[in-house]
Amino acid sequence: LQRRIAADPILAKAFAFVKSSADASVEVDPVTRQKVGRRLLGVSRTCLKRVVCLAFTYRMTGDVRYAKRAQVEMLAAAAFDDWNPSHFLDVAEMTAALAVGYDWLYADLDPKARAIIRAAIVEKGLKTSLRGGWWVKTTNNWNQVCHGGLSVGALAVLEDEPELATRIVARAVKNVPRAMREYEPNGAYPEGPGYWTYGTSFNVLLIDALRSVLATDFGLTAAKGFLESADYYLQMAGP
């Protein structure tokens, strides 16, 4: 990936944007548990963006400042009383944030921090989801985001929590196709291009995590209209 970035001006520009986001994250305080109305979603999204950009930039540059700052961010979120399960998107995105950081930075996390972050993924993310909710079987973007974020968390802690992780992933593989049928027959998405971006991004995250860890996506990519839906977004958002 480093070689590809060096050889491709478009990828180089993309990485420059990611690095600038990581640099900005180094300069600010970590997230705090501040709800807006009934939602903690803005905090979860901030944490996800920061951790992804910091961890990725560390992996590309080797600059430990980014890894250390990502650890601070994850510990701050892990210390929250909960991740607001009454609005479950908040839990899903926060689970994804800590899971990506835990996985990408595993060898560079302090052992104590690693244990705290793993426990938060399990207790505040995965186990909280076992009570279920309408999102489990819905056909809209909540299905993709919740199952996607939780599955990334499950796969990150698979070695330590095999039974729980298997349960979370199996539930996702069973239920995400309910939402993916919305792309049929040719990729047009009923919630419009904005929610297409949201739901599809987490659907792709789920597929890539499954492939990375289990070497299969259980046929999800082959869902009718799914890959074609990129053209739908282009036509809806382009000139």
PDB file of all heavy atoms in Angstrom, residues 111-140:
ATOM      1  N   PRO A 111      -0.118  -3.274  27.150  1.00  0.00           N
ATOM      2  CA  PRO A 111      -0.910  -4.458  27.518  1.00  0.00           C
ATOM      3  C   PRO A 111      -2.152  -4.124  28.343  1.00  0.00           C
ATOM      4  O   PRO A 111      -3.226  -4.700  28.117  1.00  0.00           O
ATOM      5  CB  PRO A 111       0.090  -5.298  28.320  1.00  0.00           C
ATOM      6  CG  PRO A 111       1.416  -4.919  27.757  1.00  0.00           C
ATOM      7  CD  PRO A 111       1.317  -3.456  27.436  1.00  0.00           C
ATOM      8  N   LYS A 112      -2.034  -3.202  29.282  1.00  0.00           N
ATOM      9  CA  LYS A 112      -3.189  -2.828  30.086  1.00  0.00           C
ATOM     10  C   LYS A 112      -4.244  -2.147  29.229  1.00  0.00           C
ATOM     11  O   LYS A 112      -5.447  -2.430  29.357  1.00  0.00           O
ATOM     12  CB  LYS A 112      -2.757  -1.912  31.225  1.00  0.00           C
ATOM     13  CG  LYS A 112      -3.897  -1.528  32.165  1.00  0.00           C
ATOM     14  CD  LYS A 112      -3.388  -0.658  33.315  1.00  0.00           C
ATOM     15  CE  LYS A 112      -4.549  -0.258  34.240  1.00  0.00           C
ATOM     16  NZ  LYS A 112      -4.067   0.609  35.369  1.00  0.00           N
ATOM     17  N   ALA A 113      -3.815  -1.248  28.350  1.00  0.00           N
ATOM     18  CA  ALA A 113      -4.749  -0.564  27.458  1.00  0.00           C
ATOM     19  C   ALA A 113      -5.434  -1.556  26.533  1.00  0.00           C
ATOM     20  O   ALA A 113      -6.645  -1.467  26.275  1.00  0.00           O
ATOM     21  CB  ALA A 113      -4.011   0.499  26.651  1.00  0.00           C
ATOM     22  N   ARG A 114      -4.680  -2.512  26.041  1.00  0.00           N
ATOM     23  CA  ARG A 114      -5.236  -3.531  25.151  1.00  0.00           C
ATOM     24  C   ARG A 114      -6.368  -4.284  25.854  1.00  0.00           C
ATOM     25  O   ARG A 114      -7.438  -4.514  25.272  1.00  0.00           O
ATOM     26  CB  ARG A 114      -4.131  -4.502  24.728  1.00  0.00           C
ATOM     27  CG  ARG A 114      -4.522  -5.459  23.628  1.00  0.00           C
ATOM     28  CD  ARG A 114      -3.418  -6.479  23.398  1.00  0.00           C
ATOM     29  NE  ARG A 114      -2.159  -5.835  23.049  1.00  0.00           N
ATOM     30  CZ  ARG A 114      -0.971  -6.274  23.428  1.00  0.00           C
ATOM     31  NH1 ARG A 114      -0.864  -7.362  24.178  1.00  0.00           N
ATOM     32  NH2 ARG A 114       0.123  -5.640  23.050  1.00  0.00           N
ATOM     33  N   ALA A 115      -6.167  -4.643  27.103  1.00  0.00           N
ATOM     34  CA  ALA A 115      -7.185  -5.374  27.855  1.00  0.00           C
ATOM     35  C   ALA A 115      -8.419  -4.516  28.090  1.00  0.00           C
ATOM     36  O   ALA A 115      -9.556  -5.000  28.000  1.00  0.00           O
ATOM     37  CB  ALA A 115      -6.605  -5.852  29.181  1.00  0.00           C
ATOM     38  N   ILE A 116      -8.223  -3.246  28.390  1.00  0.00           N
ATOM     39  CA  ILE A 116      -9.348  -2.336  28.631  1.00  0.00           C
ATOM     40  C   ILE A 116     -10.164  -2.151  27.361  1.00  0.00           C
ATOM     41  O   ILE A 116     -11.407  -2.184  27.388  1.00  0.00           O
ATOM     42  CB  ILE A 116      -8.830  -0.983  29.158  1.00  0.00           C
ATOM     43  CG1 ILE A 116      -8.251  -1.141  30.564  1.00  0.00           C
ATOM     44  CG2 ILE A 116      -9.949   0.062  29.152  1.00  0.00           C
ATOM     45  CD1 ILE A 116      -7.518   0.092  31.071  1.00  0.00           C
ATOM     46  N   ILE A 117      -9.488  -1.951  26.255  1.00  0.00           N
ATOM     47  CA  ILE A 117     -10.178  -1.735  24.979  1.00  0.00           C
ATOM     48  C   ILE A 117     -10.934  -2.991  24.569  1.00  0.00           C
ATOM     49  O   ILE A 117     -12.096  -2.925  24.134  1.00  0.00           O
ATOM     50  CB  ILE A 117      -9.168  -1.307  23.901  1.00  0.00           C
ATOM     51  CG1 ILE A 117      -8.594   0.079  24.237  1.00  0.00           C
ATOM     52  CG2 ILE A 117      -9.813  -1.308  22.516  1.00  0.00           C
ATOM     53  CD1 ILE A 117      -7.344   0.432  23.459  1.00  0.00           C
ATOM     54  N   ARG A 118     -10.308  -4.156  24.717  1.00  0.00           N
ATOM     55  CA  ARG A 118     -10.983  -5.409  24.381  1.00  0.00           C
ATOM     56  C   ARG A 118     -12.224  -5.610  25.252  1.00  0.00           C
ATOM     57  O   ARG A 118     -13.289  -5.988  24.750  1.00  0.00           O
ATOM     58  CB  ARG A 118     -10.037  -6.587  24.552  1.00  0.00           C
ATOM     59  CG  ARG A 118     -10.677  -7.941  24.212  1.00  0.00           C
ATOM     60  CD  ARG A 118      -9.676  -9.086  24.261  1.00  0.00           C
ATOM     61  NE  ARG A 118      -9.126  -9.280  25.597  1.00  0.00           N
ATOM     62  CZ  ARG A 118      -7.846  -9.074  25.919  1.00  0.00           C
ATOM     63  NH1 ARG A 118      -6.979  -8.648  25.010  1.00  0.00           N
ATOM     64  NH2 ARG A 118      -7.423  -9.298  27.139  1.00  0.00           N
ATOM     65  N   ALA A 119     -12.118  -5.333  26.536  1.00  0.00           N
ATOM     66  CA  ALA A 119     -13.259  -5.488  27.443  1.00  0.00           C
ATOM     67  C   ALA A 119     -14.389  -4.556  27.056  1.00  0.00           C
ATOM     68  O   ALA A 119     -15.578  -4.922  27.133  1.00  0.00           O
ATOM     69  CB  ALA A 119     -12.822  -5.235  28.883  1.00  0.00           C
ATOM     70  N   ALA A 120     -14.062  -3.339  26.639  1.00  0.00           N
ATOM     71  CA  ALA A 120     -15.105  -2.396  26.236  1.00  0.00           C
ATOM     72  C   ALA A 120     -15.820  -2.873  24.976  1.00  0.00           C
ATOM     73  O   ALA A 120     -17.056  -2.788  24.878  1.00  0.00           O
ATOM     74  CB  ALA A 120     -14.488  -1.018  26.002  1.00  0.00           C
ATOM     75  N   ILE A 121     -15.068  -3.388  24.008  1.00  0.00           N
ATOM     76  CA  ILE A 121     -15.687  -3.938  22.802  1.00  0.00           C
ATOM     77  C   ILE A 121     -16.674  -5.042  23.174  1.00  0.00           C
ATOM     78  O   ILE A 121     -17.803  -5.095  22.664  1.00  0.00           O
ATOM     79  CB  ILE A 121     -14.609  -4.478  21.842  1.00  0.00           C
ATOM     80  CG1 ILE A 121     -13.756  -3.336  21.277  1.00  0.00           C
ATOM     81  CG2 ILE A 121     -15.248  -5.275  20.697  1.00  0.00           C
ATOM     82  CD1 ILE A 121     -12.524  -3.806  20.515  1.00  0.00           C
ATOM     83  N   VAL A 122     -16.264  -5.910  24.076  1.00  0.00           N
ATOM     84  CA  VAL A 122     -17.092  -7.056  24.461  1.00  0.00           C
ATOM     85  C   VAL A 122     -18.295  -6.623  25.285  1.00  0.00           C
ATOM     86  O   VAL A 122     -19.439  -6.993  24.980  1.00  0.00           O
ATOM     87  CB  VAL A 122     -16.248  -8.088  25.237  1.00  0.00           C
ATOM     88  CG1 VAL A 122     -17.134  -9.184  25.823  1.00  0.00           C
ATOM     89  CG2 VAL A 122     -15.177  -8.689  24.333  1.00  0.00           C
ATOM     90  N   GLU A 123     -18.058  -5.842  26.331  1.00  0.00           N
ATOM     91  CA  GLU A 123     -19.121  -5.527  27.287  1.00  0.00           C
ATOM     92  C   GLU A 123     -20.050  -4.414  26.804  1.00  0.00           C
ATOM     93  O   GLU A 123     -21.272  -4.521  26.936  1.00  0.00           O
ATOM     94  CB  GLU A 123     -18.509  -5.136  28.633  1.00  0.00           C
ATOM     95  CG  GLU A 123     -17.670  -6.235  29.280  1.00  0.00           C
ATOM     96  CD  GLU A 123     -18.477  -7.475  29.620  1.00  0.00           C
ATOM     97  OE1 GLU A 123     -19.687  -7.349  29.887  1.00  0.00           O
ATOM     98  OE2 GLU A 123     -17.880  -8.574  29.637  1.00  0.00           O
ATOM     99  N   LYS A 124     -19.487  -3.345  26.256  1.00  0.00           N
ATOM    100  CA  LYS A 124     -20.300  -2.194  25.858  1.00  0.00           C
ATOM    101  C   LYS A 124     -20.812  -2.306  24.433  1.00  0.00           C
ATOM    102  O   LYS A 124     -21.776  -1.629  24.059  1.00  0.00           O
ATOM    103  CB  LYS A 124     -19.498  -0.901  26.034  1.00  0.00           C
ATOM    104  CG  LYS A 124     -19.129  -0.583  27.469  1.00  0.00           C
ATOM    105  CD  LYS A 124     -18.378   0.749  27.580  1.00  0.00           C
ATOM    106  CE  LYS A 124     -18.203   1.173  29.036  1.00  0.00           C
ATOM    107  NZ  LYS A 124     -17.193   0.387  29.745  1.00  0.00           N
ATOM    108  N   GLY A 125     -20.165  -3.184  23.645  1.00  0.00           N
ATOM    109  CA  GLY A 125     -20.581  -3.377  22.270  1.00  0.00           C
ATOM    110  C   GLY A 125     -21.303  -4.685  22.046  1.00  0.00           C
ATOM    111  O   GLY A 125     -22.527  -4.736  21.940  1.00  0.00           O
ATOM    112  N   LEU A 126     -20.550  -5.771  22.026  1.00  0.00           N
ATOM    113  CA  LEU A 126     -21.097  -7.058  21.601  1.00  0.00           C
ATOM    114  C   LEU A 126     -22.191  -7.580  22.518  1.00  0.00           C
ATOM    115  O   LEU A 126     -23.278  -7.955  22.068  1.00  0.00           O
ATOM    116  CB  LEU A 126     -19.970  -8.090  21.484  1.00  0.00           C
ATOM    117  CG  LEU A 126     -18.772  -7.698  20.610  1.00  0.00           C
ATOM    118  CD1 LEU A 126     -17.795  -8.861  20.507  1.00  0.00           C
ATOM    119  CD2 LEU A 126     -19.229  -7.255  19.228  1.00  0.00           C
ATOM    120  N   LYS A 127     -21.912  -7.635  23.821  1.00  0.00           N
ATOM    121  CA  LYS A 127     -22.909  -8.184  24.744  1.00  0.00           C
ATOM    122  C   LYS A 127     -24.158  -7.321  24.816  1.00  0.00           C
ATOM    123  O   LYS A 127     -25.275  -7.840  24.974  1.00  0.00           O
ATOM    124  CB  LYS A 127     -22.295  -8.379  26.132  1.00  0.00           C
ATOM    125  CG  LYS A 127     -21.302  -9.528  26.197  1.00  0.00           C
ATOM    126  CD  LYS A 127     -20.802  -9.764  27.616  1.00  0.00           C
ATOM    127  CE  LYS A 127     -19.839 -10.946  27.684  1.00  0.00           C
ATOM    128  NZ  LYS A 127     -19.327 -11.173  29.067  1.00  0.00           N
ATOM    129  N   THR A 128     -23.984  -6.017  24.683  1.00  0.00           N
ATOM    130  CA  THR A 128     -25.141  -5.120  24.681  1.00  0.00           C
ATOM    131  C   THR A 128     -26.081  -5.442  23.528  1.00  0.00           C
ATOM    132  O   THR A 128     -27.294  -5.279  23.643  1.00  0.00           O
ATOM    133  CB  THR A 128     -24.675  -3.652  24.581  1.00  0.00           C
ATOM    134  OG1 THR A 128     -23.809  -3.359  25.680  1.00  0.00           O
ATOM    135  CG2 THR A 128     -25.850  -2.697  24.607  1.00  0.00           C
ATOM    136  N   SER A 129     -25.513  -5.925  22.418  1.00  0.00           N
ATOM    137  CA  SER A 129     -26.338  -6.197  21.241  1.00  0.00           C
ATOM    138  C   SER A 129     -27.171  -7.461  21.369  1.00  0.00           C
ATOM    139  O   SER A 129     -28.098  -7.681  20.579  1.00  0.00           O
ATOM    140  CB  SER A 129     -25.444  -6.323  20.001  1.00  0.00           C
ATOM    141  OG  SER A 129     -24.814  -7.591  19.932  1.00  0.00           O
ATOM    142  N   LEU A 130     -26.857  -8.300  22.353  1.00  0.00           N
ATOM    143  CA  LEU A 130     -27.551  -9.581  22.464  1.00  0.00           C
ATOM    144  C   LEU A 130     -29.019  -9.420  22.843  1.00  0.00           C
ATOM    145  O   LEU A 130     -29.814 -10.342  22.627  1.00  0.00           O
ATOM    146  CB  LEU A 130     -26.833 -10.475  23.483  1.00  0.00           C
ATOM    147  CG  LEU A 130     -25.411 -10.885  23.112  1.00  0.00           C
ATOM    148  CD1 LEU A 130     -24.806 -11.754  24.208  1.00  0.00           C
ATOM    149  CD2 LEU A 130     -25.375 -11.597  21.766  1.00  0.00           C
ATOM    150  N   ARG A 131     -29.360  -8.282  23.414  1.00  0.00           N
ATOM    151  CA  ARG A 131     -30.785  -8.041  23.726  1.00  0.00           C
ATOM    152  C   ARG A 131     -31.589  -7.780  22.461  1.00  0.00           C
ATOM    153  O   ARG A 131     -32.820  -7.740  22.502  1.00  0.00           O
ATOM    154  CB  ARG A 131     -30.918  -6.870  24.693  1.00  0.00           C
ATOM    155  CG  ARG A 131     -30.550  -5.515  24.131  1.00  0.00           C
ATOM    156  CD  ARG A 131     -30.506  -4.415  25.169  1.00  0.00           C
ATOM    157  NE  ARG A 131     -29.407  -4.603  26.105  1.00  0.00           N
ATOM    158  CZ  ARG A 131     -29.026  -3.682  27.001  1.00  0.00           C
ATOM    159  NH1 ARG A 131     -29.662  -2.522  27.074  1.00  0.00           N
ATOM    160  NH2 ARG A 131     -28.006  -3.917  27.801  1.00  0.00           N
ATOM    161  N   GLY A 132     -30.914  -7.599  21.334  1.00  0.00           N
ATOM    162  CA  GLY A 132     -31.592  -7.440  20.053  1.00  0.00           C
ATOM    163  C   GLY A 132     -32.206  -6.066  19.887  1.00  0.00           C
ATOM    164  O   GLY A 132     -31.832  -5.108  20.552  1.00  0.00           O
ATOM    165  N   GLY A 133     -33.157  -5.990  18.985  1.00  0.00           N
ATOM    166  CA  GLY A 133     -33.808  -4.727  18.663  1.00  0.00           C
ATOM    167  C   GLY A 133     -34.334  -4.767  17.246  1.00  0.00           C
ATOM    168  O   GLY A 133     -34.066  -5.709  16.485  1.00  0.00           O
ATOM    169  N   TRP A 134     -35.073  -3.729  16.896  1.00  0.00           N
ATOM    170  CA  TRP A 134     -35.703  -3.717  15.569  1.00  0.00           C
ATOM    171  C   TRP A 134     -34.668  -3.690  14.444  1.00  0.00           C
ATOM    172  O   TRP A 134     -34.942  -4.131  13.328  1.00  0.00           O
ATOM    173  CB  TRP A 134     -36.642  -2.523  15.439  1.00  0.00           C
ATOM    174  CG  TRP A 134     -35.924  -1.205  15.421  1.00  0.00           C
ATOM    175  CD1 TRP A 134     -35.499  -0.480  16.490  1.00  0.00           C
ATOM    176  CD2 TRP A 134     -35.528  -0.471  14.258  1.00  0.00           C
ATOM    177  NE1 TRP A 134     -34.859   0.654  16.072  1.00  0.00           N
ATOM    178  CE2 TRP A 134     -34.873   0.699  14.708  1.00  0.00           C
ATOM    179  CE3 TRP A 134     -35.671  -0.683  12.883  1.00  0.00           C
ATOM    180  CZ2 TRP A 134     -34.359   1.648  13.828  1.00  0.00           C
ATOM    181  CZ3 TRP A 134     -35.159   0.262  11.998  1.00  0.00           C
ATOM    182  CH2 TRP A 134     -34.510   1.413  12.481  1.00  0.00           C
ATOM    183  N   TRP A 135     -33.461  -3.209  14.749  1.00  0.00           N
ATOM    184  CA  TRP A 135     -32.416  -3.094  13.734  1.00  0.00           C
ATOM    185  C   TRP A 135     -31.930  -4.452  13.223  1.00  0.00           C
ATOM    186  O   TRP A 135     -31.377  -4.539  12.124  1.00  0.00           O
ATOM    187  CB  TRP A 135     -31.221  -2.309  14.290  1.00  0.00           C
ATOM    188  CG  TRP A 135     -30.682  -2.837  15.584  1.00  0.00           C
ATOM    189  CD1 TRP A 135     -31.036  -2.455  16.847  1.00  0.00           C
ATOM    190  CD2 TRP A 135     -29.697  -3.867  15.750  1.00  0.00           C
ATOM    191  NE1 TRP A 135     -30.337  -3.167  17.786  1.00  0.00           N
ATOM    192  CE2 TRP A 135     -29.502  -4.040  17.148  1.00  0.00           C
ATOM    193  CE3 TRP A 135     -28.939  -4.648  14.874  1.00  0.00           C
ATOM    194  CZ2 TRP A 135     -28.597  -4.970  17.668  1.00  0.00           C
ATOM    195  CZ3 TRP A 135     -28.040  -5.570  15.383  1.00  0.00           C
ATOM    196  CH2 TRP A 135     -27.875  -5.728  16.771  1.00  0.00           C
ATOM    197  N   VAL A 136     -32.146  -5.506  14.007  1.00  0.00           N
ATOM    198  CA  VAL A 136     -31.602  -6.816  13.626  1.00  0.00           C
ATOM    199  C   VAL A 136     -32.177  -7.283  12.294  1.00  0.00           C
ATOM    200  O   VAL A 136     -31.449  -7.809  11.439  1.00  0.00           O
ATOM    201  CB  VAL A 136     -31.881  -7.864  14.726  1.00  0.00           C
ATOM    202  CG1 VAL A 136     -31.451  -9.257  14.259  1.00  0.00           C
ATOM    203  CG2 VAL A 136     -31.163  -7.488  16.018  1.00  0.00           C
ATOM    204  N   LYS A 137     -33.474  -7.086  12.087  1.00  0.00           N
ATOM    205  CA  LYS A 137     -34.122  -7.616  10.893  1.00  0.00           C
ATOM    206  C   LYS A 137     -34.673  -6.543   9.962  1.00  0.00           C
ATOM    207  O   LYS A 137     -35.352  -6.866   8.986  1.00  0.00           O
ATOM    208  CB  LYS A 137     -35.263  -8.561  11.299  1.00  0.00           C
ATOM    209  CG  LYS A 137     -34.784  -9.811  12.019  1.00  0.00           C
ATOM    210  CD  LYS A 137     -35.941 -10.755  12.320  1.00  0.00           C
ATOM    211  CE  LYS A 137     -35.445 -12.023  12.996  1.00  0.00           C
ATOM    212  NZ  LYS A 137     -36.559 -12.973  13.277  1.00  0.00           N
ATOM    213  N   THR A 138     -34.400  -5.266  10.250  1.00  0.00           N
ATOM    214  CA  THR A 138     -34.926  -4.226   9.380  1.00  0.00           C
ATOM    215  C   THR A 138     -34.252  -4.276   8.016  1.00  0.00           C
ATOM    216  O   THR A 138     -33.212  -4.938   7.832  1.00  0.00           O
ATOM    217  CB  THR A 138     -34.730  -2.835  10.014  1.00  0.00           C
ATOM    218  OG1 THR A 138     -35.468  -1.861   9.266  1.00  0.00           O
ATOM    219  CG2 THR A 138     -33.268  -2.435  10.026  1.00  0.00           C
ATOM    220  N   THR A 139     -34.827  -3.573   7.042  1.00  0.00           N
ATOM    221  CA  THR A 139     -34.271  -3.585   5.689  1.00  0.00           C
ATOM    222  C   THR A 139     -33.555  -2.280   5.344  1.00  0.00           C
ATOM    223  O   THR A 139     -33.105  -2.109   4.217  1.00  0.00           O
ATOM    224  CB  THR A 139     -35.387  -3.817   4.652  1.00  0.00           C
ATOM    225  OG1 THR A 139     -36.360  -2.761   4.759  1.00  0.00           O
ATOM    226  CG2 THR A 139     -36.061  -5.159   4.873  1.00  0.00           C
ATOM    227  N   ASN A 140     -33.444  -1.357   6.303  1.00  0.00           N
ATOM    228  CA  ASN A 140     -32.798  -0.088   5.978  1.00  0.00           C
ATOM    229  C   ASN A 140     -31.349  -0.046   6.454  1.00  0.00           C
ATOM    230  O   ASN A 140     -30.774  -1.044   6.877  1.00  0.00           O
ATOM    231  CB  ASN A 140     -33.619   1.087   6.521  1.00  0.00           C
ATOM    232  CG  ASN A 140     -33.641   1.152   8.043  1.00  0.00           C
ATOM    233  OD1 ASN A 140     -32.770   0.624   8.730  1.00  0.00           O
ATOM    234  ND2 ASN A 140     -34.656   1.818   8.590  1.00  0.00           N
TER     235      ASN A 140
END
